[in-house]
Amino acid sequence: MIFYFSGTGNSKWIADQLSSNQQEDLIFIPEVLKDGNMEFCLEKDEKIGFVFPIYSWAPPEIVLHFIKQMSLENYQGQYLFFVCSCGDDIGLTQQVFMKALSLKGWKCHAGFSVIMPNNYVLFPGFDVDSKELEEKKLENAIGELNRINELINRKEAVFFCKEGSIPYIKTRIINPLFNRFQMSPKNFWTTDKCIGCKRCEKSCPVDNILMQDGRPVWGRNCTSCLACYHVCPQQAVQYGKRTKGKGHYFNPNQY
């Protein structure tokens, strides 16, 4: 079985490719958290996969929370892997993820990072990729996923993760600050371009948006995936002043 989390579709696309090739069931983490049934029964030769985007050089908090809460019945050291999507590098994500598993008594056998089009626009100087770079990343990702699928099929114990420069600072210092100060939904707002189409509401993976008087209202349960911002056809969703003039991206295979 493959557990995944995705906001703007990059990780969902990866999870779809893996699920099809590995013939493993695909499980959306937010739906499990809403349902509350955290117990999963494993077959003897079943593979266990986790697919998620990188949030400020670490796994999203929702993924780590899910791992902490879930249980794997009949776990006997089955092959376990992760694949994460990133705009460039992932810092010490491998360490963070493997520690979360070790606290459950589980072993991670393989891990991979796949460079995908960038979608994080809240940091100064951060924006979506140019159309040319976006298309190049998507094209390269196809070949990379084929290679990853071959390695997983053979149950190879390998790690191909791009840490990048100053990984300790990115993951151990910047990421905690991100989780503390950048996860708040209170700065979301809509311009007069909003047409009340509800696409932001429908795109939110954790059902944190409700429409009131034809406009979206954000609750407190935000993962900072920015799906609501990127999916808006009118580019009416904004986050304070940080998104002014920034671009938009949603995986073309998912919407």
Side-chain angles (χ1 to χ4, degrees):
M1 60 185 68
I2 297 175
F3 304 96
Y4 79 97
F5 173 73
S6 183
T8 56
N10 282 339
S11 293
K12 175 62 164 59
W13 176 77
I14 291 174
D16 284 340
Q17 310 308 306
L18 292 170
S19 174
S20 176
N21 189 284
Q22 303 300 324
Q23 297 185 337
E24 294 285 352
D25 292 335
L26 201 55
I27 300 171
F28 189 39
I29 289 174
E31 289 183 354
V32 177
L33 290 171
K34 283 183 284 186
D35 179 67
N37 184 5
M38 304 290 188
E39 297 181 359
F40 302 91
C41 186
L42 298 174
E43 300 292 337
K44 182 178 180 180
D45 295 323
E46 189 167 9
K47 301 184 188 78
I48 311 162
F50 290 86
V51 181
F52 52 86
I54 294 300
Y55 282 7
S56 186
W57 301 285
E61 285 289 288
I62 189 174
V63 174
L64 297 176
H65 174 71
F66 173 70
I67 292 173
K68 185 177 180 180
Q69 297 295 320
M70 69 184 296
S71 63
L72 296 175
E73 187 177 343
N74 297 330
Y75 174 76
Q76 299 174 354
Q78 286 92 332
Y79 184 80
L80 190 154
F81 66 91
F82 74 87
V83 181
C84 55
S85 62
C86 60
D88 186 18
D89 54 62
I90 69 170
L92 300 180
T93 290
Q94 180 180 329
Q95 288 185 16
V96 175
F97 184 78
M98 293 180 71
K99 181 179 179 180
L101 294 183
S102 68
L103 292 175
K104 303 286 292 189
W106 306 336
K107 178 181 178 180
C108 183
H109 298 86
F112 311 90
S113 61
V114 179
I115 294 179
M116 297 290 287
N118 188 50
N119 56 20
Y120 195 73
V121 297
L122 297 190
F123 282 160
F126 279 54
D127 204 345
V128 300
D129 296 321
S130 66
K131 196 65 179 178
E132 180 181 3
L133 181 56
E134 173 189 318
E135 292 175 352
K136 182 178 180 180
K137 284 184 175 182
L138 289 171
E139 181 180 356
N140 291 341
I142 295 174
E144 184 65 13
L145 258 294
N146 289 336
R147 182 176 73 98
I148 290 172
N149 266 315
E150 291 176 0
L151 293 169
I152 294 174
N153 279 327
R154 298 197 300 266
K155 296 185 178 180
E156 296 276 1
V158 294
F159 291 89
F160 293 104
C161 300
K162 184 182 178 182
E163 286 191 355
S165 61
I166 55 172
Y168 182 89
I169 292 176
K170 289 176 177 177
T171 301
R172 302 301 184 186
I173 298 177
I174 298 178
N175 178 261
L177 294 174
F178 169 86
N179 289 332
R180 182 175 180 181
F181 298 110
Q182 291 292 124
M183 299 289 283
S184 173
K186 65 181 181 180
N187 290 323
F188 280 111
W189 61 286
T190 54
T191 69
D192 291 337
K193 292 182 179 180
C194 177
I195 57 176
C197 67
K198 299 185 179 182
R199 287 178 70 173
C200 56
E201 180 184 43
K202 295 175 182 177
S203 71
C204 181
V206 293
D207 297 335
N208 189 51
I209 301 174
L210 294 176
M211 300 297 292
Q212 294 183 8
D213 299 324
R215 291 292 185 95
V217 176
W218 284 261
R220 297 181 178 181
N221 185 30
C222 183
T223 65
S224 196
C225 71
L226 299 184
C228 57
Y229 165 82
H230 287 289
V231 79
C232 180
Q234 299 296 110
Q235 300 184 7
V237 175
Q238 300 292 323
Y239 191 87
K241 296 181 179 180
R242 300 182 195 179
T243 49
K244 184 178 180 180
K246 298 290 185 72
H248 293 72
Y249 168 81
F250 210 94
N251 188 284
N253 300 298
Q254 298 298 319
Y255 211 94

